[in-house]
Amino acid sequence: MGIAKIEELHKQIIEKARYLGACAAGIADVEALKQSPSHLIYPHTGGYKSFLNDDVPGDGGEVLWPQYAQSAIVVAVEHPEDKPELDWWYAGRKGGTPGNQMLMNIIASITEWLRREKGCTAQGLPYYIAQGGILLKDAAVMAGLGCIGKNNMLVTPDYGPRVRLRAAFVNIKLPATKPLDFDPCCDCHMPCRTVCPQKAFQKKVSIANPLNLKMLPARNGGYSRSLCMDQMIIDRENAVVEADENRDDRLRVAKCCRLCETSCPVGKK
Ligand code: B12
Ligand code: SF4
Ligand code: SF4
């Protein structure tokens, strides 16, 4: 494919994602992504075992990169404060949260279109690393969606941290979207860090960092994953059985803490 066609394809993918309901989308180069801070540190963290989904095994810190993957398409859907239900986790339902289901549908439509109309190999990625997923915040930064804030989340200019992410791999080397020159945290009094019920941002946490990386969780290493996880476990235990107004079944719904994102002033209308 010539350069003009590849640039046109990049544009079409972003337009398609937006048309399908994404609030932002971008493209990251897979080789560069492999060298991003999270992907370099992750194998030394011991990995992650879901606290909500018992069917997913722990990943042991291994991220899988299929050989065909040249570019990662990263898509964001807005999770505004006045639609908290987008973030609620329905136990046993495919996709877990309504917002994640929206993301899965967007990604499925884009990859189906890339395969059918453009003859590409394109595959939506699972959420969990154990199932073939990637670390989505780094992917989003490298796809030009925003920056990592002092709350350790992706912060976007238009929606702040109140977005959720998914990605797909494609076998074509597309031009990466330019990273944003954007940093709202410099002059901020950091409500995201003081509001945390577990005081997860109160001190610098020691993490395995054999490569001596400077880009650490919450930028300076001041985010405790285990304290945050304690809160998630409380939230899971407090899950209540509720009906979904769009469906007739009743399921246990976990409403996980998001105070470090809802307190961020960026992108509030
Ligand atoms: C495991 C996990 C958790 C675990 C552990 C979190 C952790 N950070 O370790 C728990 C359960 C505690 C958790 C909590 C939450 N999570 Co979570 N989680 C994930 C998951 C599955 C993987 C994250 C991970 O392990 N990262 C690896 C660790 C090593 O990296 P890290 O802590 O993020 O730190 C790195 C970055 O900060 C990066 N970095 C720092 N500076 C810079 C600069 C640049 C330029 C770059 C490129 C990178 C970079 O380097 C650090 C490593 O050195 C992702 C989904 C996915 N597939 O990516 C969602 C995800 C990160 N979670 C998400 C959310 C929303 C939450 C919660 C708000 C809970 C909720 N209601 O959903 C809280 C927020 C906690 C917080 N402030 O970070 C969203 C984030 C969206 C966003 N806007 O950023 C994601 C992307 C899922 C989604 N649905 O979109 N999560
Ligand atoms: S509240 Fe302030 S410091 Fe925290 S993420 Fe938002 S802009 Fe950055
Ligand atoms: S999600 Fe809640 S518990 Fe976790 S760091 Fe943010 S404010 Fe703290």
Side-chain angles (χ1 to χ4, degrees):
M1 214 184 273
I3 289 180
K5 277 209 161 157
I6 284 187
E7 279 174 1
E8 178 58 21
L9 184 56
H10 178 135
K11 205 171 133 227
Q12 286 177 344
I13 291 170
I14 309 299
E15 279 170 8
K16 192 147 193 81
R18 283 188 169 275
Y19 171 77
L20 290 164
C23 67
I27 289 169
D29 179 75
V30 166
E31 285 310 311
L33 193 53
K34 289 180 188 172
Q35 301 306 318
S36 73
S38 293
H39 288 103
L40 289 174
I41 273 191
Y42 200 65
H44 306 282
T45 62
Y48 175 67
K49 168 89 184 78
S50 173
F51 66 101
L52 283 168
N53 206 330
D54 294 337
D55 299 339
V56 180
D59 58 51
E62 196 189 351
V63 182
L64 304 170
W65 301 98
Q67 272 201 334
Y68 75 85
Q70 299 274 341
S71 306
I73 301 166
V74 188
V75 164
V77 158
E78 187 189 5
H79 274 214
E81 254 180 297
D82 62 359
K83 288 196 184 149
E85 64 279 7
L86 285 177
D87 218 50
W88 293 348
W89 179 277
Y90 290 79
R93 184 169 298 170
K94 193 168 184 285
T97 72
N100 195 35
Q101 283 161 8
M102 283 168 69
L103 279 158
M104 287 163 70
N105 292 341
I106 295 171
I107 288 283
S109 299
I110 295 174
T111 50
E112 212 260 317
W113 166 76
L114 282 168
R115 288 191 295 265
R116 195 188 59 234
E117 307 252 332
K118 307 290 174 185
C120 301
T121 303
Q123 193 61 54
L125 303 183
Y127 179 87
Y128 294 107
I129 312 305
Q131 296 177 328
I134 56 171
L135 296 164
L136 290 164
K137 288 183 293 179
D138 282 32
V141 173
M142 298 184 70
L145 268 56
C147 68
I148 300 293
K150 288 184 178 172
N151 60 359
N152 196 34
M153 297 184 72
L154 171 81
V155 182
T156 64
D158 294 336
Y159 311 96
R162 292 167 296 280
V163 298
R164 299 292 178 265
L165 306 163
R166 290 293 287 238
F169 281 149
V170 58
N171 68 335
I172 295 183
K173 209 166 183 61
L174 295 159
T177 316
K178 250 176 93 186
L180 291 184
D181 183 13
F182 166 69
D183 184 359
C185 300
C186 289
D187 304 318
C188 178
H189 65 290
M190 299 189 279
C192 59
R193 288 191 172 194
T194 46
V195 76
C196 175
Q198 295 292 337
K199 302 189 173 29
F201 299 101
Q202 215 149 70
K203 51 181 186 222
K204 201 160 171 179
V205 182
S206 146
I207 58 165
N209 185 9
L211 304 171
N212 214 8
L213 289 178
K214 299 281 178 287
M215 291 168 185
L216 297 171
R219 297 176 174 211
N220 64 350
Y223 162 73
S224 164
R225 180 182 178 131
S226 65
L227 286 176
C228 181
M229 182 65 97
D230 288 349
Q231 182 62 43
M232 300 295 144
I233 291 167
I234 295 171
D235 295 338
R236 182 191 61 188
E237 278 158 12
N238 288 340
V240 285
V241 176
E242 273 185 22
D244 177 349
E245 62 180 41
N246 302 314
R247 304 179 41 143
D248 49 16
D249 49 354
R250 291 171 66 83
L251 293 171
R252 272 179 76 78
V253 184
K255 301 173 184 178
C256 292
C257 177
R258 38 187 310 213
L259 287 170
C260 53
E261 62 167 327
T262 51
S263 59
C264 176
V266 180
K268 287 213 171 158
K269 310 283 181 312

